[in-house]
Amino acid sequence: MRVRHLRVNRYGALQDWHATDLPGGVTVIHGPNEAGKSTLFDLLTSLLYGFSPATGEKHPYHPWRDGGPLDVTADLVLQDGRELRVHRRLTKTPRGTLVRGEVAEDLGNRALPFVQHIGRDLYRALYALTAYDFRHLDDKHQAEIQDRLLGGFTTTQFRPVSAVLGELQREANQLWRTDRRQTKCSLLSAELRRVRQARQEAVRREAAIQSDAARLEELKNELDALRRERAGLQARVRRAETLAPAARTLRRLETWRREIGDEKRLAALPADLPGELQRLEDEAHARAAEVEAIEAAVREQEQAVAACGPAEEQVLARADDIREWVRLAELHDREQRELERAGGELQQRCGRLRERAAEVLCAPWSEAAAEGLKALPPAELKARILSHGRDQEKHRQIREARLHKEHNTPAVAPPVPAWAGAAGAAAGLVLTAVGRLGDVTALVAAGPALLVVALGLLVLSWQQRQTAGQLLDRHRREVEALLGQEREEAAAAAASGARLAELLAGIPVAPALLEHPDTDVYEALTGLRGEVLETEETSAQLAQRQAAWEAEQGRLAAVAGDLGEPLERGAGPAVDRLHARLEQAAKARENRDRARAQLEELHARQLEVTRRLAELRARRAGLEAEIRALAGVPAAEPDDGIGVPAAAVARVTALQETRQLLGHHERELQRQYADLPALREEIVALERDPEQAWVLDPAELELAKNRLEELSRRNEELYKEIVDLGREIETHRRGPSPGELDGEIQMLEEESAVLTRERDRLMLARMVLQRSDREFRERHAPPVLRRAGAYLNRITGRRYSHLLLLAAADGGERLMVQPAGAADPIPVAPPLSRGTLDQIFLAFRLAVIDHLDQDHEPLPLFLDEALINWDDLRLEHGIALLGDIAARRQVFVFTCHRTLAELLNERLGAAPLSLGLPDAAAAPRTDPSP
């Protein structure tokens, strides 16, 4: 995975900060202390995994001065070439969006899907390396790494064995402990006692419920009888209160209706008669003036129709072409500049290709070398390099075994000298002869004894010499056998080297690289091959874009020539002139079309206003005639200046007001009484029936209201007593019943019996799992140690060759390192130097990261002042190693040392990305106060 573009609107010390076209290899971040290097790592971690903490005010990089939200966006490129965009924003709650092509996915605060094989904490502990972090992994991360390394032999779906063992022990302790602390068994016993006491209380509650239920039934019966009486009395009072006021109102309305007379003719008149008459006169004058204004507007629009000539029509005919070029002009000129820039970048890329080729090839760069690299099969190259490496390693091992055998000749004890036996035999013969001659008994006895001892010494000397000869002869044969194996392995190594040289026959690879080829040679050649293919593809794309640009330039020249406009090298000036002429012609045509449309509207409006004027004059005459008729005024009487007498208008206005008052009261009655006709008939019948006169009697109505109040008070008392009893019964029923408690007692007794069996099962499972895990770790050495040893061997210039994980006296494991030429490994601890320890732990962590990313998306690596304790030679080796790692994953190197940044730029072509001085207002907040 590669971070290609990074846009930071606000994140701690970084405000409106952008980084574009980040390389896929090594990116050097250079800046002084507190410039934001740590902020940048936390920002990139939040992009991958979401914000932590996920509340804006609690986040350590929340800007406390302006209080704005954290807002970052990044463009990512995955290993398979897919391009993604990630946007995260943190206000009070986190928001996240993942854009894949045209599809946008709501992330919320979840981690990206392709980083979920590594947790946030483990990522921060492994992938962000500082000089301090190399040797300070906490116990949690060490255990997780060890379990995941060994877990590669089984499955990644199970949790670490150490976590499972701890959970089994804790779960067993919760069931039963020898120190008599509170456990599930003691809790079950206490619960059982509590449930038995609760059953006794439940029996008492059942008796209280039965007594309260009987009293509740009596109160409900009394309440039902009271409500029936109250409902009947309420109906009588409502009938009396409704009919009496309605009867008085109906009599008053009949009087007004006789006064009004014909309501329909009054309803047809306007509400404001004087105002309506004056309005009709004023509107008639206004319509006459409008007719004159319309005639003047018609003449003006007819003059505007002829404003659009042939020149404007010619420009409008090419309007689509001009608009298209207005849209494309800036893109066309920008494409011209982009083509010039891309041509320069292609030249630079070719230069970098030659420089990279010079590191691998021993001859100048040529087309033949390029063709050879393109035809090189990567799979076959890797297979032959690995085969040659294995043959060389076998030859080295056999040779070391032979040399060890030659330098370790078996030690042979010196035999007893033969002269000692001969001298003893001679002395024995002499003693025997002297004793016989002198008749000395002692000498006669000692002579044969000494002779026997001397013969024994001779036999022993002969046997020792035979044994030594056999041992040396067997050692010689073993050395000869190893020498034969060495010759065979040397021949195999030479054959595999010849096959590799045959595959690289067309490529002038430096001979030094082929002496001991490894994966570095493979990665260098395949990387150079990919660079050649990518350069050729870029060149072809640039030629295609240049041809398309020239075709567009010719199309623009044709349009400009038809309209008589000169065309310069760029499209901008000519397109601007054409666009200005098009806007003028379009405006002229728009004015012409608008004038034609307005002429049609003006003619129609003229007819409509003329017709409206005639209607106004006719309506005014009819209204005057209707007012005279309703007011009883003859038509021959003189008027008050507007065609009708003022007295007649006042009379008709008073009648209208009476009619409005009548309508208001009728609507009010209709609103109060839904069925007004039936109510009117009921009032008439009531007035004719003397037995129903009590409805209109105020004294009888007052007695009925008093009785109704008395019934309401008693109703409230009964209701309150019923509610209290119901609450009391409900309170008793809230507790469990005796039957439920009996079932609970039985269940607790059964659970107590199960706990003992469960504890035994858990302890047995823990013992089996612990023993199996120990045996598994003893049989399987993590392959990550071999990779870490290879990294260390390269960093230290073959000073240290292997890393080992050996058993320690305390039952754990201890990391050891094998120096070159030494017989035994040494512990990874002082007196090794600080720089060497840093290099060992860097190699180990790089190997762990490679193992964790296997079959997953390779995640970016961050190094913060990680190389400050290294000498010049190992620093060169380390930078070269970073260059190789950068071929597989993106590497960010943070440093405040300008010399290191310049060295990385010189060796790896990683131009430093500078950070500015820190802003105190945007620094990470450590004080919780605002």
Side-chain angles (χ1 to χ4, degrees), residues 803-845:
L803 283 175
L804 305 171
L805 198 61
L806 302 180
D810 58 358
E813 295 176 335
R814 189 174 188 182
L815 188 62
M816 310 288 284
V817 63
Q818 177 67 52
D824 298 322
I826 61 176
V828 178
L832 288 177
S833 67
R834 170 69 182 273
T836 302
L837 291 175
D838 288 350
Q839 292 150 15
I840 291 173
F841 283 97
L842 175 60
F844 182 74
R845 284 204 178 188

Side-chain angles (χ1 to χ4, degrees), residues 373-386:
L373 283 170
K374 289 191 292 183
L376 182 65
E380 181 66 19
L381 175 63
K382 185 174 183 180
R384 293 193 182 187
I385 286 176
L386 294 177

Side-chain angles (χ1 to χ4, degrees), residues 49-72:
Y49 290 92
F51 294 103
S52 178
T55 303
E57 296 179 353
K58 296 181 179 179
H59 199 279
Y61 290 96
H62 177 70
W64 58 267
R65 174 175 293 178
D66 57 6
L70 303 185
D71 193 325
V72 295

Side-chain angles (χ1 to χ4, degrees), residues 217-277:
E217 186 65 24
E218 295 176 0
L219 294 176
K220 287 182 178 180
N221 293 334
E222 183 180 354
L223 181 62
D224 290 340
L226 186 145
R227 286 178 175 175
R228 287 193 296 271
E229 181 183 356
R230 183 168 171 264
L233 189 57
Q234 283 178 337
R236 293 172 60 192
V237 170
R238 280 196 300 270
R239 185 165 179 248
E241 291 177 343
T242 301
L243 295 179
R248 291 192 297 270
T249 302
L250 287 174
R251 286 192 292 269
R252 185 167 59 252
L253 294 181
E254 286 297 328
T255 302
W256 288 347
R257 189 172 287 107
R258 287 192 298 272
E259 181 183 354
I260 291 171
D262 192 349
E263 294 185 33
K264 293 182 179 180
R265 293 180 66 182
L266 280 175
L269 294 177
D272 183 11
L273 286 178
E276 179 66 14
L277 290 171

Side-chain angles (χ1 to χ4, degrees), residues 220-458:
K220 287 182 178 180
N221 293 334
E222 183 180 354
L223 181 62
D224 290 340
L226 186 145
R227 286 178 175 175
R228 287 193 296 271
E229 181 183 356
R230 183 168 171 264
L233 189 57
Q234 283 178 337
R236 293 172 60 192
V237 170
R238 280 196 300 270
R239 185 165 179 248
E241 291 177 343
T242 301
L243 295 179
R248 291 192 297 270
T249 302
L250 287 174
R251 286 192 292 269
R252 185 167 59 252
L253 294 181
E254 286 297 328
T255 302
W256 288 347
R257 189 172 287 107
R258 287 192 298 272
E259 181 183 354
I260 291 171
D262 192 349
E263 294 185 33
K264 293 182 179 180
R265 293 180 66 182
L266 280 175
L269 294 177
D272 183 11
L273 286 178
E276 179 66 14
L277 290 171
Q278 185 63 42
R279 187 188 65 78
L280 291 175
E281 182 67 21
D282 294 342
E283 189 172 355
H285 289 297
R287 297 291 83 76
E290 187 176 357
V291 170
E292 296 178 0
I294 290 174
E295 292 174 353
V298 168
R299 292 190 296 271
E300 181 182 355
Q301 296 303 324
E302 288 175 348
Q303 295 175 358
V305 170
C308 187
E312 287 77 11
E313 292 293 342
Q314 182 181 8
V315 174
L316 291 171
R318 301 302 297 271
D320 292 340
D321 294 334
I322 295 173
R323 291 192 185 95
E324 179 67 15
W325 270 105
V326 168
R327 184 179 66 84
L328 295 177
E330 182 179 355
L331 297 177
H332 184 75
D333 291 345
R334 186 188 304 166
E335 179 65 12
Q336 180 182 1
R337 294 191 297 271
E338 285 294 324
L339 287 174
E340 295 174 354
R341 184 187 62 79
E345 290 182 354
L346 181 60
Q347 294 298 326
Q348 295 176 1
R349 187 167 197 162
C350 292
R352 290 195 301 270
L353 176 60
R354 293 187 183 92
E355 293 176 0
R356 186 169 183 179
E359 298 176 357
V360 180
L361 306 181
C362 61
W365 179 252
S366 63
E367 291 297 328
E371 293 298 327
L373 283 170
K374 289 191 292 183
L376 182 65
E380 181 66 19
L381 175 63
K382 185 174 183 180
R384 293 193 182 187
I385 286 176
L386 294 177
S387 175
H388 187 49
R390 287 192 297 268
D391 292 341
Q392 285 185 326
E393 180 64 20
K394 289 180 181 178
H395 176 258
R396 184 189 64 79
Q397 293 176 354
I398 295 299
R399 184 174 178 276
E400 290 179 356
R402 179 183 63 80
L403 292 176
H404 182 271
K405 180 65 71 174
E406 287 179 351
H407 290 84
N408 291 274
T409 304
V412 178
V416 177
W419 60 265
L429 292 174
V430 171
L431 291 176
T432 303
V434 171
R436 290 182 179 273
L437 292 176
D439 195 15
V440 180
T441 306
L443 293 177
V444 174
L450 184 58
L451 183 61
V452 172
V453 172
L455 291 176
L457 290 175
L458 289 174

Side-chain angles (χ1 to χ4, degrees), residues 381-611:
L381 175 63
K382 185 174 183 180
R384 293 193 182 187
I385 286 176
L386 294 177
S387 175
H388 187 49
R390 287 192 297 268
D391 292 341
Q392 285 185 326
E393 180 64 20
K394 289 180 181 178
H395 176 258
R396 184 189 64 79
Q397 293 176 354
I398 295 299
R399 184 174 178 276
E400 290 179 356
R402 179 183 63 80
L403 292 176
H404 182 271
K405 180 65 71 174
E406 287 179 351
H407 290 84
N408 291 274
T409 304
V412 178
V416 177
W419 60 265
L429 292 174
V430 171
L431 291 176
T432 303
V434 171
R436 290 182 179 273
L437 292 176
D439 195 15
V440 180
T441 306
L443 293 177
V444 174
L450 184 58
L451 183 61
V452 172
V453 172
L455 291 176
L457 290 175
L458 289 174
V459 173
L460 178 61
S461 176
W462 178 81
Q463 289 179 346
Q464 287 179 340
R465 293 180 185 277
Q466 287 294 110
T467 302
Q470 293 175 358
L471 184 60
L472 293 175
D473 185 57
R474 183 168 62 252
H475 177 264
R476 180 183 54 78
R477 289 195 301 272
E478 290 177 354
V479 170
E480 291 177 354
L482 289 174
L483 183 60
Q485 293 181 11
E486 180 181 352
R487 293 193 186 96
E488 292 177 359
E489 294 299 335
S496 61
R499 289 194 298 273
L500 177 60
E502 179 184 359
L503 183 64
L504 299 175
I507 305 171
V509 181
L513 298 177
L514 296 179
E515 290 179 359
H516 299 285
D518 54 8
T519 55
D520 295 338
V521 176
Y522 166 75
E523 292 173 357
L525 290 174
T526 54
L528 188 59
R529 176 178 180 272
E531 187 74 18
V532 170
L533 295 175
E534 190 173 352
T535 302
E536 289 189 354
E537 182 181 358
T538 303
S539 178
Q541 292 176 353
L542 180 60
Q544 184 179 3
R545 290 173 60 187
Q546 182 68 33
W549 181 86
E550 292 175 354
E552 290 293 328
Q553 186 76 358
R555 190 164 65 86
L556 175 59
V559 174
D562 291 345
L563 298 178
E565 289 289 343
L567 180 63
E568 297 83 357
R569 183 171 181 271
V575 171
D576 291 341
R577 292 192 297 271
L578 289 174
H579 185 239
R581 290 178 58 184
L582 177 62
E583 288 182 345
Q584 294 174 357
K587 186 175 181 179
R589 183 176 64 180
E590 182 181 357
N591 292 336
R592 182 196 63 190
D593 296 341
R594 188 185 303 112
R596 288 176 178 174
Q598 289 182 357
L599 279 174
E600 294 178 0
E601 295 177 358
L602 288 172
H603 288 309
R605 179 64 179 165
Q606 187 176 22
L607 294 176
E608 175 65 22
V609 172
T610 303
R611 182 186 61 78

